[in-house]
Amino acid sequence: MGWGGLFLSLGRPTQEQQKSCLAAADGFNYDEALHGATRPKSAVGSETSDKALVERGFFVNRSRVLIGSGADTFVRAKSALLSWRHLSLGWANVESDTPVKVGTRFCICYKEAIPWVMLPLQIAYVITDGDGKSKGGSSSSMFAFGSGTLQGHLLAGEERFSVQVDEEERVWYEVVSFSKPAHVLATLCYPYVQLRQKHFAHHSGQALIRHVATACSSAD
């Protein structure tokens, strides 16, 4: 059901409910000039500076956590992102068979108090660079994708999930987002919304760490 422009469900949203949400969501609800603004700095058309985003009224959130090291860890972490394991949080999730490709629309289903909220997004870009293996004495592989908010989302902005291998072959998971209220409810509760964004990013990192650790144990 819809309420004040939001997409709500008393129980965990079904796929049909999510399809209805996406059909009604229309296009991106933030400035076209900022589409893809969370692209990593190492990519072409790299991310807009935090200062520039803050000056435009956005809240910038960054969370970075060490997953492990080596090519196998990178491959497992990338696979986890492709199957949305980083968002298998119980109180928040994305359908695991959602394809990670530019233009894909999807819902993050998020439980807040009694109702579930369906938050519509669309993948704005996907970056695949390397397989995690060292080449020429260096390794800097990355897999990343960024999603922008659509009409009907509580917020307006973009979020990027990425795994990257650094020069010491350590594998990092990073969540970067910029957002501002797009609904009166988010405006009224914005300090709380910001705390929940930090909470979401932290728990996403912990979910990925657990998944990769389990995958590594199963392979031994």
Side-chain angles (χ1 to χ4, degrees):
M1 64 179 175
W3 178 80
L6 296 179
F7 302 102
L8 306 177
S9 174
L10 293 178
R12 185 183 292 273
T14 65
Q15 290 191 4
E16 288 303 314
Q17 286 177 307
Q18 293 177 55
K19 288 179 181 178
S20 295
C21 166
L22 295 173
D26 292 328
F28 290 117
N29 66 352
Y30 64 110
D31 294 345
E32 184 176 356
L34 295 177
H35 294 179
T38 56
R39 282 178 177 270
K41 291 180 179 179
S42 59
V44 176
S46 60
E47 66 185 289
T48 304
S49 72
D50 290 0
K51 181 180 179 181
L53 290 167
V54 170
E55 288 175 348
R56 298 183 71 156
F58 290 97
F59 167 65
V60 179
N61 186 44
R62 292 178 177 272
S63 175
R64 189 169 184 251
V65 63
L66 181 65
I67 300 297
S69 62
D72 287 346
T73 296
F74 173 77
V75 169
R76 291 186 177 105
K78 175 182 175 180
S79 176
L81 263 62
L82 286 169
S83 57
W84 301 90
R85 296 300 184 92
H86 59 299
L87 297 186
S88 296
L89 305 178
W91 45 269
N93 70 279
V94 172
E95 296 293 333
S96 61
D97 59 352
T98 301
V100 178
K101 62 181 182 180
V102 175
T104 295
R105 289 183 161 210
F106 65 96
C107 288
I108 291 182
C109 298
Y110 186 92
K111 183 173 176 56
E112 187 62 59
I114 295 175
W116 284 77
V117 183
M118 287 170 278
L119 303 173
L121 299 105
Q122 180 173 318
I123 296 178
Y125 64 86
V126 179
I127 297 169
T128 301
D129 181 13
D131 57 7
K133 296 180 180 179
S134 178
K135 297 177 182 178
S138 65
S139 177
S140 58
S141 300
M142 172 184 288
F143 175 72
F145 67 94
S147 304
T149 54
L150 300 175
Q151 300 291 335
H153 198 292
L154 272 169
L155 302 173
E158 194 172 280
E159 186 165 46
R160 183 241 297 170
F161 303 107
S162 63
V163 288
Q164 183 172 19
V165 183
D166 67 16
E167 294 181 352
E168 297 179 12
E169 298 191 1
R170 295 174 300 184
V171 181
W172 298 90
Y173 171 59
E174 186 173 37
V175 180
V176 177
S177 66
F178 66 87
S179 62
K180 59 184 176 182
H183 188 277
V184 64
L185 186 60
T187 301
L188 292 173
C189 305
Y190 201 46
Y192 174 74
V193 171
Q194 291 173 316
L195 287 174
R196 294 298 287 175
Q197 284 182 289
K198 291 180 178 292
H199 176 80
F200 173 83
H202 170 75
H203 281 269
S204 177
Q206 296 305 304
L208 189 62
I209 288 173
R210 288 194 299 271
H211 175 76
V212 171
T214 300
C216 288
S217 297
S218 299
D220 291 341

